[in-house]
C-alpha cells in the first residue's frame, strides 16, 4: 500500500534557453521543466530575480511540469529562480554569455511558414559563411545561407514531412544553435472500421469493412496490419498514448519519457499547442559548447566535435 508522508517533496527544476544559450542583451525564450520525486512533471509557480533581488519575470507551468517565459538578460548579472508553490526553493539560471547568437522560431497555428529570427551580439564578427539547416528524421529538407545583418527568415512548412523538424545554425561547420519544432501538414490518414453486425455471440465470425483515405477523401493503397485484443486483458488506449503516431512522431524524436504523448498528437484543448512547443523546448533541447568559439583565432581549439551536450542521456 502507498505510504503518504506529510512533507514537502523535493523538486528538480531545469531551465533550457531556446537555441541553447542565454546571451547578454538578446531577448530569449526560456523553457523549463519541473520534476517531482516520482520522476514525473509537477506544477510549480515562481519568478526570476536578479542579483539585487528585483523580480524580472514570473513563470508558471501549463502542462506536465513544463512552461516557458521570455526575458532579456543583462551582462554581469546572475539570475535566480525562486519557487513559491508548491515549495519554497531557489535555482540558478544558466550563465549569461558575453558574446554569441540566439535563435528564435515562431510556429504560428495559422499560416504556412515558420518565422526564424537569428540575433548576434554587436561584437560578433565573422568572415565565415553562416547557414541555417533544417532536418527531419535524419534527412535535410532546408538549407539557407544567412546574412547576420538580415536575420529574419521565412521557411515554408510544406518543405518538411509531418513531425518534429530541427533547425541548426552553423558558422562554417560549427553548430551554434538548435531548435526543434513540430510541423503538422494535416495529412494523417483517415481510417474507418465497420462491422457487419452490431453485436456478436460467442465464437461468431466477424466481417469487417476497412476504409483508408487521405485528407482529400481519396482511397489510399498500401500494406496495413490489424491486431485484435481482448479488452478484458488489454486496456483500451483511448488517449492514443501507444499508437503509431505518438511513437513515430513524438517518442522516437525526444529524450527521456514523454508523459501522455497522445495529448500532443490529438491537441484537443486550447493550450495543447503551446504545451507541445514547451515539450520541444525542454525534452527536445540541444546545447552546443561555445568554449573558444568566439576567442581569437590563435587560441581556438579543434575540440568542437566533442562539445555537444545531450541532457537526459
Amino acid at each position: 500500500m502507498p505510504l503518504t508522508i506529510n512533507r514537502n517533496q523535493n523538486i528538480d527544476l531545469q531551465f533550457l534557453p531556446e537555441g541553447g544559450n542565454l546571451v547578454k542583451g538578446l531577448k530569449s525564450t526560456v523553457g523549463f521543466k519541473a520534476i517531482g520525486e516520482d520522476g514525473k512533471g509537477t506544477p510549480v509557480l515562481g519568478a526570476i530575480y536578479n542579483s539585487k533581488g528585483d523580480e524580472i519575470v514570473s513563470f508558471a507551468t501549463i502542462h506536465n511540469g513544463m512552461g516557458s517565459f521570455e526575458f532579456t538578460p543583462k551582462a554581469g548579472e546572475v539570475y535566480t529562480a525562486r519557487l513559491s508553490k508548491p515549495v519554497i526553493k531557489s535555482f540558478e539560471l544558466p550563465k549569461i554569455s558575453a558574446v554569441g547568437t540566439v535563435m528564435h522560431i515562431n510556429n504560428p497555428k495559422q499560416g504556412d511558414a515558420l518565422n526564424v529570427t537569428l540575433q548576434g551580439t554587436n561584437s560578433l564578427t565573422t568572415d565565415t559563411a553562416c547557414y541555417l539547416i533544417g532536418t527531419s528524421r535524419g534527412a535535410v529538407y532546408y538549407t539557407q545561407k544567412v546574412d547576420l545583418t538580415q536575420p529574419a527568415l521565412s521557411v515554408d512548412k510544406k518543405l518538411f514531412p509531418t513531425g518534429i523538424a530541427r533547425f541548426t545554425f552553423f558558422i562554417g561547420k560549427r553548430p551554434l544553435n538548435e531548435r526543434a519544432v513540430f510541423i503538422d501538414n494535416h495529412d494523417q490518414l483517415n481510417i474507418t472500421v465497420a462491422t457487419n453486425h452490431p453485436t456478436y455471440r460467442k465464437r461468431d465470425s466477424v466481417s469487417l469493412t476497412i476504409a483508408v483515405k487521405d485528407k482529400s477523401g481519396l482511397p489510399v493503397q498500401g500494406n496495413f496490419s490489424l491486431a485484435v485484443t481482448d479488452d478484458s486483458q488489454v486496456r483500451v488506449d483511448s488517449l492514443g498514448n501507444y499508437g503509431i503516431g505518438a511513437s513515430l512522431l513524438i517518442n522516437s524524436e525526444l529524450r527521456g519519457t514523454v508523459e501522455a504523448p497522445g495529448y500532443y498528437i490529438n491537441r484537443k484543448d486550447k493550450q495543447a499547442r503551446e504545451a507541445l512547443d514547451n515539450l520541444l523546448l525542454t525534452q527536445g533541447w540541444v546545447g552546443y559548447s561555445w568554449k573558444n568559439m568566439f576567442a581569437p583565432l590563435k587560441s581556438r581549439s579543434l575540440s568542437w566535435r566533442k562539445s555537444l551536450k545531450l541532457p537526459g542521456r
Side-chain angles (χ1 to χ4, degrees), residues 158 185-191 212-220:
K158 294 181 180 179
N185 294 318
H186 304 284
D187 54 357
Q188 288 82 355
L189 298 178
N190 298 312
I191 303 175
V212 183
K213 299 180 180 180
D214 62 17
K215 64 179 182 180
S216 301
L218 300 176
V220 175

Side-chain angles (χ1 to χ4, degrees), residues 36-313:
E37 292 179 350
D38 59 358
K40 297 182 179 180
T42 185
V44 297
L45 182 67
I48 305 298
Y49 295 84
N50 61 17
S51 57
K52 297 179 181 179
D54 300 325
E55 180 177 327
I56 304 302
V57 61
S58 61
F59 61 86
T61 53
I62 67 167
H63 183 73
N64 280 349
M66 291 174 284
S68 61
F69 59 88
E70 293 182 345
F71 90 118
T72 303
K74 295 182 179 180
E77 273 288 0
V78 176
Y79 295 94
T80 303
R82 298 178 190 171
L83 293 184
S84 55
K85 291 182 180 181
V87 296
I88 298 176
K89 192 174 181 180
S90 296
F91 301 84
E92 282 193 9
L93 263 67
K95 293 183 179 180
I96 312 303
S97 299
V99 61
T101 56
V102 169
M103 178 167 61
H104 174 67
I105 298 182
N106 180 33
N107 184 10
K109 181 178 180 180
Q110 305 296 332
D112 298 326
L114 299 169
N115 301 314
V116 182
T117 304
L118 292 160
Q119 299 182 77
T121 51
N122 293 332
S123 57
L124 175 62
T125 58
T126 177
D127 55 359
T128 306
C130 302
Y131 297 92
L132 180 67
I133 309 296
T135 63
S136 180
R137 303 169 197 167
V140 176
Y141 288 89
Y142 177 83
T143 303
Q144 178 63 49
K145 190 173 182 180
V146 177
D147 182 356
L148 289 178
T149 62
Q150 298 177 344
L153 299 171
S154 180
V155 181
D156 189 353
K157 298 180 186 180
K158 294 181 180 179
L159 295 174
F160 297 84
T162 291
I164 294 176
R166 291 186 177 274
F167 289 85
T168 309
F169 175 62
F170 290 84
I171 290 184
K173 296 181 179 180
R174 304 190 181 196
L176 296 187
N177 308 96
E178 186 166 313
R179 172 72 151 96
V181 297
F182 190 88
I183 293 177
D184 189 353
N185 294 318
H186 304 284
D187 54 357
Q188 288 82 355
L189 298 178
N190 298 312
I191 303 175
T192 57
V193 180
T195 58
N196 59 333
H197 297 296
T199 59
Y200 295 91
R201 296 190 300 269
K202 189 175 182 179
R203 300 186 185 281
D204 258 356
S205 61
V206 179
S207 177
L208 299 178
T209 301
I210 303 175
V212 183
K213 299 180 180 180
D214 62 17
K215 64 179 182 180
S216 301
L218 300 176
V220 175
Q221 184 177 359
N223 296 319
F224 305 93
S225 62
L226 175 69
V228 180
T229 60
D230 185 342
D231 61 3
S232 66
Q233 302 295 323
V234 180
R235 183 175 298 178
V236 177
D237 182 24
S238 60
L239 299 178
N241 291 329
Y242 306 102
I244 293 177
S247 297
L248 294 181
L249 301 182
I250 299 292
N251 293 341
S252 64
E253 298 290 331
L254 300 177
R255 300 174 189 82
T257 300
V258 179
E259 297 178 51
Y263 172 81
Y264 304 105
I265 293 293
N266 298 324
R267 300 194 297 279
K268 294 182 179 180
D269 59 47
K270 293 182 179 179
Q271 69 178 17
R273 187 176 180 84
E274 182 180 357
L276 173 57
D277 199 53
N278 290 332
L279 174 71
L280 299 179
L281 281 171
T282 53
Q283 290 189 229
W285 182 87
V286 171
Y288 294 94
S289 174
W290 288 353
K291 184 179 180 181
N292 295 332
M293 178 62 205
F294 301 110
L297 289 175
K298 292 183 180 180
S299 63
R300 290 184 183 175
S301 99
L302 298 178
S303 61
W304 67 274
R305 294 182 184 273
K306 301 179 181 179
S307 64
L308 180 61
K309 303 175 186 176
L310 298 178
R313 283 189 177 177

